[in-house]
Amino acid sequence: MHRFDPRIKVGGLAILSLLITMTRWQGLLLTSLALLGLVLLSRVPIKIYGSLIAVLFWVGLFYGLVTGWVWPENRAIWFGHWSMGGLAQAVDMVWRISLIFGLTRLYTAVTMPLAQGVGIAYFFNPLIRITPKAADFALLLTLTLRFIPLIVEEAILIWKVRLLKSEWPHSKIKRSWEIIQLIVPLILLSLRRAEELSVNLMSRGYGSGNYRTLTLHEQTSKDRLGVLIIGVWGILLLVWR
């Protein structure tokens, strides 16, 4: 999965996410089993889904209250009661959201940031014939995903330098002030990196509307097999609409 063509992963993620919102419980069950299999095959640490579980908990609580608790018209909310139909609807919505989030999290775990940008920007190429702004957006998206890891590394470096100077304060007010002081050098470093990048792009002749995405490698037999699997998967989701 890590070596798949990023175009396949981006296109498959977009198509499957769209079909997940339309399929019935059979398609959701198939996608759940397929996602579990992909997680096992990718060998990514399970702990990366820890934050996702916390988010889904609050999402489920929100939808459970919104759709599961009903009350009579012109009456206060505390005169209501739990609705089994509303709770079932909440479970269905959270199930779909969790599958989309899970596929997205898996995609980011097995795809390098630069490959993500190239794969996403590839699908904006047809729009360049309509407006040159599509090329600018594709370039912006590629550069953004490329430099996110670098900014994170610089933030960690600044944090470590601060810890070497003195002990981290225990007061919440002082910690907030320290965090604010860390943001300023991070912004300055980001601006300097952006300025250097703009100079390099201008030196290489880049202009508005002439960006073209590049594929990372030629499609292999594994890539074609991945396309076949995604196609069959999508057809089954359509059948179970």
Side-chain angles (χ1 to χ4, degrees):
M1 291 183 60
H2 296 74
R3 298 181 179 180
F4 277 171
D5 194 306
R7 297 172 295 176
I8 298 175
K9 289 187 279 189
V10 172
L13 176 63
I15 294 173
L16 293 176
S17 298
L18 177 62
L19 294 178
I20 286 173
T21 62
M22 301 184 295
T23 189
R24 292 182 291 179
W25 69 267
Q26 296 94 331
L28 297 179
L29 180 60
L30 170 65
T31 305
S32 300
L33 297 176
L35 177 60
L36 179 60
L38 291 176
V39 171
L40 296 177
L41 288 175
S42 63
R43 297 180 181 179
V44 296
I46 303 299
K47 62 181 181 180
I48 67 172
Y49 294 95
S51 58
L52 178 61
I53 294 175
V55 171
L56 291 176
F57 170 78
W58 290 108
V59 171
L61 183 62
F62 171 77
Y63 279 113
L65 293 175
V66 171
T67 62
W69 183 259
V70 295
W71 60 93
E73 189 177 357
N74 299 326
R75 297 292 299 273
I77 186 174
W78 51 82
F79 288 105
H81 62 278
W82 291 106
S83 169
M84 295 304 298
L87 290 175
Q89 183 180 1
V91 170
D92 180 75
M93 296 175 66
V94 174
W95 193 1
R96 298 174 190 272
I97 293 174
S98 62
L99 290 177
I100 296 175
F101 283 8
L103 288 172
T104 305
R105 189 67 187 89
L106 179 62
Y107 163 74
T108 57
V110 299
T111 311
M112 297 296 292
L114 180 58
Q116 294 178 26
V118 172
I120 296 173
Y122 172 81
F123 291 95
F124 284 90
N125 274 343
L127 300 178
I128 296 177
R129 299 178 180 179
I130 301 176
T131 171
K133 297 299 180 182
D136 299 339
F137 180 78
L139 176 61
L140 177 63
L141 183 62
T142 304
L143 295 178
T144 300
L145 292 174
R146 172 64 181 87
F147 282 96
I148 285 178
L150 297 179
I151 294 176
V152 172
E153 291 178 1
E154 290 177 347
I156 295 175
L157 180 61
I158 295 173
W159 176 273
K160 291 181 178 179
V161 171
R162 170 60 185 83
L163 291 179
L164 290 175
K165 290 183 178 180
S166 62
E167 184 180 357
W168 189 252
H170 299 285
S171 174
K172 292 184 179 180
I173 297 178
K174 292 183 179 180
R175 279 186 292 182
S176 301
W177 175 246
E178 290 290 343
I179 293 176
I180 293 175
Q181 289 182 322
L182 295 178
I183 292 176
V184 175
L186 180 62
I187 294 176
L188 293 177
L189 288 174
S190 301
L191 292 176
R192 186 185 66 181
R193 190 176 292 276
E195 184 179 3
E196 293 176 352
L197 178 63
S198 63
V199 172
N200 292 333
L201 289 176
M202 293 179 62
S203 301
R204 295 182 180 183
Y206 279 97
S208 178
N210 64 357
Y211 174 69
R212 295 294 185 273
T213 57
L214 301 175
T215 57
L216 297 182
H217 56 78
E218 295 294 332
Q219 291 190 5
T220 62
S221 58
K222 292 183 179 180
D223 295 328
R224 289 188 285 271
L225 178 61
V227 173
L228 178 61
I229 294 174
I230 293 175
V232 174
W233 189 351
I235 292 174
L236 290 176
L237 294 180
L238 283 175
V239 170
W240 285 323
R241 283 187 57 182

